[in-house]
Amino acid sequence: MNIFSPGHTCKNSKARCGVMHLPHGDVRTPVFMPVGTNGAVKAVSKDDIEEMGFEIILANTYHLFLRPGADLVQEAGGLHGFTKYNGNFLTDSGGFQVFSLSKLRKITPEGARFQSHIDGSYHLFTPENVVQTQVKFNSDIQMQLDVCSGFGVDRKEAVSALEITTDWANRAMKEWQKEREAGYKGYLFPIVQGNFFEDLRRQSAEFVAGLDSAGIAIGGLSVGEPTDEFVHFMNYTNQFLPEEKVKYVMGIGTPEYILEAVAAGIDMFDCVLPTRNARNGSYFTHDGMLSIKQERFTHDFSPLDRECNCKVCRTYSRAYLRHLFKEQEILSSMLASYHNLYFLNNMMKEIRASIENDTFETYKKSFLDRFRAGNIQ
């Protein structure tokens, strides 16, 4: 099964561009996906998302399952009918959220039994019912239920997590095939696990590569490990994955991590960081992260980032943005979130252009040298 039309691969790296063909339109890659956990990107309207040019966003199965419930979303016409966003939706399986609820869940071969963080009610996620739930959402891409293990766990725990994830991948694929035969148009991505053990990573990657899926996610990274470990295991895992399939690294959203992933030949990534940082007054700029709460911006009537063409930078001053943040105005979160997402989406456009021009490595170095220098004037 193939949804990916590869474009150019940069002659000096593995960085590549292409197009994913999905039910709600084509998606140009490499692509960063904003996170809309509850069916909405925090502090950003779907009109703003479309205005910025995003072609796919992420929503979360765990949260939407609990509220408002899969049946209601289905009744509204899936996530597209419910939200009126016309682009594509990728839905996370909820496995990471269940993993993070370590005191409220129990993993067995059958599935993940957990307590709702909202009202304490008990629920069971299985590979099958998670597929069914995402079908009700009419997800364009859905993820398998997996077991994510954190950085630093022992080998025994990593092996157990991988064995369960592998079994769940087979069960999820079977359920997804049934739903496809019944008319569902979306795709299922299995997930590579194996923690930070090379032989387990290779075992998982080779297994997942043999499944009839349109894409593959590299999971279990960006879970607290040092950056060099992230880079090593991302590249190590990727070498065992087929070039013709879309590759997705879950949970990365800084320019440094995105550029490392693109250099490795990764096509997709997502993270809550841009909007979370925004709500805390932290803005992306070409010269590094700018904390708008700093006293020095009180009388600074210059744009946030002189080289950014977003409507926030064209319209508002640093002094005004600082005022909004200090007064805890809702508009502060809205404007900061818009800017941060625009900044990353524009970076992705520049990345794709640099790949086409065989200048990605030069772009990566010059971008990071300036960004890391942090010379914000």
Side-chain angles (χ1 to χ4, degrees), residues 257-271:
Y257 273 46
I258 288 172
L259 286 162
E260 288 292 351
V262 171
I266 305 302
D267 307 298
M268 303 171 65
F269 7 84
D270 75 278
C271 195

Side-chain angles (χ1 to χ4, degrees), residues 1 7 15 23 25 40 93 105 108 113 132-133 149 163 172 186 208 258 265-266 273 276 282 312 315 329 342-343 370:
M1 177 171 294
S93 69
R105 52 89 169 152
T108 69
R113 181 172 171 79
Q132 294 160 6
T133 297
S149 54
E163 288 175 349
V208 168
I258 288 172
I266 305 302
L273 192 73
R276 179 179 290 166
S282 182
V312 179
T315 309
E329 287 286 347
Y342 182 101
F343 183 91
R370 182 177 173 187

Side-chain angles (χ1 to χ4, degrees), residues 1-17:
M1 177 171 294
N2 194 0
I3 61 169
F4 185 59
S5 295
H8 186 67
T9 298
C10 193
K11 65 181 181 182
N12 298 317
S13 74
K14 295 179 181 177
R16 65 181 189 173
C17 53

Side-chain angles (χ1 to χ4, degrees), residues 89-267:
F89 275 99
L90 180 147
T91 47
D92 188 345
S93 69
F96 183 80
Q97 283 67 38
V98 171
F99 155 72
S100 66
L101 299 170
S102 57
K103 296 180 181 178
L104 300 174
R105 52 89 169 152
K106 182 177 181 181
I107 307 293
T108 69
E110 179 189 11
R113 181 172 171 79
F114 63 94
Q115 256 186 295
S116 165
H117 72 284
I118 298 170
D119 60 9
S121 57
Y122 284 93
H123 304 274
L124 177 68
F125 272 177
T126 68
E128 293 82 6
N129 69 23
V130 166
V131 168
Q132 294 160 6
T133 297
Q134 293 178 94
V135 168
K136 290 180 178 179
F137 296 155
N138 197 26
S139 308
D140 299 282
I141 298 174
Q142 60 166 276
M143 308 304 298
Q144 74 151 110
L145 183 65
D146 64 325
V147 181
C148 180
S149 54
F151 180 68
V153 305
D154 62 27
R155 183 179 176 86
K156 182 179 179 182
E157 183 175 339
V159 169
S160 175
L162 177 56
E163 288 175 349
I164 293 174
T165 295
T166 300
D167 178 57
W168 287 1
N170 280 323
R171 289 165 55 187
M173 289 294 294
K174 288 178 183 176
E175 189 65 28
W176 171 75
Q177 290 285 3
K178 292 179 188 175
E179 296 290 353
R180 288 280 292 185
E181 290 166 9
Y184 171 59
K185 303 296 185 186
Y187 300 94
L188 172 71
F189 284 14
I191 301 174
V192 177
Q193 288 292 349
N195 200 261
F196 295 89
F197 298 93
E198 288 188 352
D199 59 325
L200 299 184
R201 279 273 164 186
R202 177 171 184 170
Q203 175 187 329
S204 183
E206 290 178 343
F207 161 74
V208 168
L211 298 174
D212 185 23
S213 68
I216 294 171
I218 301 176
L221 296 177
S222 193
V223 290
E225 74 278 9
T227 301
D228 58 345
E229 289 286 289
F230 166 83
V231 173
H232 171 73
F233 277 92
M234 176 179 62
N235 281 280
Y236 180 82
T237 305
N238 189 41
Q239 68 181 309
F240 304 111
L241 301 180
E243 290 298 309
E244 68 272 14
K245 294 189 180 185
V246 180
K247 302 172 189 178
Y248 167 29
V249 170
M250 309 169 78
I252 59 171
T254 65
E256 293 97 332
Y257 273 46
I258 288 172
L259 286 162
E260 288 292 351
V262 171
I266 305 302
D267 307 298

